Amino acid sequence: MIKLAIVSPCYNEEAVLESSARRLDTLMARLVAEGKITEDSFVLFVNDGSRDSTWNIISALHRANPRFKGLDLARNVGHQNAIMAGMMTAKEISDAVITIDADIQDDLEAIPRMIDAYAEGYDVVYGVKVQRQADPLLKRLSAQAFYRLQKKMGVNAIYNHADFRFLSRRVLDQLALYRERNLYLRGIIPSIGFPSTSVDDVIAPREAGESKYSLGKMLGLALDGITSFSVKPLYAILLLGIIFLLISVGIGIYVIYSLFVHTAVHGWASLMLSIWMVGGFVLIAVGGVGLYVGKIYSEVKDRPLYHIKDFLD
Ligand code: UDP
Ligand code: MG
């Protein structure tokens, strides 16, 4: 039997929080009755700097039922860092952690299967979306295109797995050693290398409230997912540079040719063209390098990922 912690990040989740808490409580009571988890297993809600009444709801849940614990972060630090804060807090007082989004779109029935997999000797169990009809079409398509791009870039991540996963304490202790700021858990965890497997996860629609993943947040995560694990974009810039060089050689030949046949004045077009081309290329290259420099900048500062304001244990 394990002492299980379910960690759930919440950002402005007042609309779904109570209903999600009820569902988790029912599940945990069942797992206790089945002898899969201990009586003192718990749910840890991480309040990621919500501006609505999320923290009040978490506090009330905690007062009413000791199974609910709460962690209040001092400000909004984003999904990945909020999960990290929850996991690092929970690992000190549990044997294993399952992370699940507060709107519980994931399949709760995958949780007992994750625990069974742990009993069979797996330290990491990924919830893999086998069916995501409930996700909006655009989100589904863009996510799948992203998973493919990631693979091309050599990032070692699990296809169609987000952050619904089981981690044993052993893995969490290793995860704690990762000091990076641009946290992309889906890339880090496979690279730790403990025995892992996956269980099926069927995504349901969000019960209430809107997606808390704004386009900006999603793009930021996608960018981290590639630039934190792969330098291939840098090489792509190099390749682009070579192609542009070849093109400009062609343009050079054309310019000399038009000089000889006295149509040089027409060369204005090709000149303008190459100025723009080279200028564009330089900008792309500088921007690409800048991405990495920016990351180095934030890594060397080595700032804390989050600040805990309150812990309801
Ligand atoms: N979330 C968070 N901090 C943020 C944004 C989101 O902790 O800055 C949480 C949110 O409360 C939810 C999870 O991340 O538990 C996933 O967000 P959401 O369900 O809105 O994303 P979607 O399902 O649309 O991808
Ligand atoms: Mg969701």
Side-chain angles (χ1 to χ4, degrees):
M1 249 206 307
I2 56 165
K3 181 172 177 184
L4 178 72
I6 295 183
V7 165
S8 194
C10 313
Y11 178 54
N12 298 337
E13 294 290 8
E14 61 182 11
V16 288
L17 201 52
E18 274 155 336
S19 141
S20 295
R22 256 193 311 277
R23 291 174 63 196
L24 289 173
D25 190 42
T26 310
L27 174 79
M28 283 193 125
R30 200 186 92 201
L31 295 177
V32 169
E34 288 173 2
K36 282 191 196 293
I37 61 173
T38 63
E39 190 73 54
D40 57 351
S41 295
F42 60 92
V43 178
L44 176 62
F45 289 115
V46 182
N47 177 34
D48 185 17
S50 301
R51 282 184 299 269
D52 64 1
S53 63
T54 294
W55 182 244
N56 291 337
I57 297 173
I58 294 172
S59 311
L61 286 167
H62 170 72
R63 278 193 302 273
N65 185 343
R67 192 170 273 152
F68 297 116
K69 296 181 194 291
L71 192 66
D72 193 20
L73 303 183
R75 66 175 175 87
N76 180 251
V77 291
H79 181 234
Q80 299 287 296
N81 292 329
I83 291 180
M84 192 67 170
M87 291 192 299
M88 291 303 117
T89 306
K91 87 176 174 72
E92 302 304 327
I93 45 175
S94 64
D95 301 319
V97 165
I98 289 175
T99 44
I100 187 166
D101 289 345
D103 54 347
I104 315 200
Q105 291 181 270
D106 298 291
D107 185 1
L108 282 183
E109 283 315 307
I111 290 181
R113 281 182 263 133
M114 287 175 166
I115 299 169
D116 292 343
Y118 174 69
E120 286 164 24
Y122 294 102
D123 285 280
V124 180
V125 190
Y126 302 104
V128 171
K129 300 174 189 181
V130 284
Q131 215 237 63
R132 48 191 306 170
Q133 290 313 114
D135 273 341
L137 184 69
L138 196 65
K139 178 164 188 139
R140 218 182 316 146
L141 293 179
S142 61
Q144 277 163 359
F146 170 65
Y147 287 125
R148 260 179 238 121
L149 175 68
Q150 234 182 3
K151 194 154 180 221
K152 276 223 169 67
M153 290 286 169
V155 183
N156 182 15
I158 309 289
Y159 187 75
N160 258 340
H161 158 71
D163 288 292
F164 178 41
R165 71 173 87 77
F166 176 104
L167 297 176
S168 73
R169 182 159 184 176
R170 230 161 42 126
V171 180
L172 292 165
D173 285 338
Q174 298 310 307
L175 185 61
L177 302 176
Y178 282 71
R179 305 284 311 146
E180 56 196 86
R181 306 299 103 187
N182 299 290
L183 201 58
Y184 186 68
L185 293 165
R186 293 168 215 184
I188 294 174
I189 287 160
S191 70
I192 295 180
F194 279 93
S196 68
T197 184
S198 58
V199 295
D200 292 353
D201 175 20
V202 178
I203 297 297
R206 190 181 245 279
E207 267 182 21
E210 274 155 20
S211 174
K212 304 301 178 297
Y213 249 101
S214 60
L215 187 64
K217 282 191 173 174
M218 213 141 71
L219 286 176
L221 184 70
L223 216 54
D224 272 349
I226 289 171
T227 52
S228 297
F229 289 90
S230 168
V231 288
K232 281 197 180 169
L234 286 177
Y235 296 122
I237 289 167
L238 197 71
L239 191 71
L240 206 67
I242 293 167
I243 293 170
F244 271 62
L245 212 70
L246 290 177
I247 293 174
S248 54
V249 167
I251 290 175
I253 291 170
Y254 169 70
V255 167
I256 291 168
Y257 164 79
S258 31
L259 254 178
F260 276 108
V261 296
H262 303 293
T263 54
V265 70
H266 296 297
W268 181 83
S270 51
L271 200 66
M272 287 308 277
L273 197 75
S274 41
I275 287 171
W276 282 96
M277 256 169 56
V278 173
F281 163 64
V282 168
L283 282 181
I284 293 170
V286 171
V289 173
L291 278 179
Y292 286 88
V293 174
K295 276 188 191 296
I296 293 168
Y297 177 62
S298 63
E299 297 294 343
V300 294
K301 279 188 295 192
D302 201 24
R303 288 187 177 165
L305 287 183
Y306 49 81
H307 301 286
I308 293 169
K309 198 160 74 183
D310 204 354
F311 177 39
L312 302 177
D313 188 7

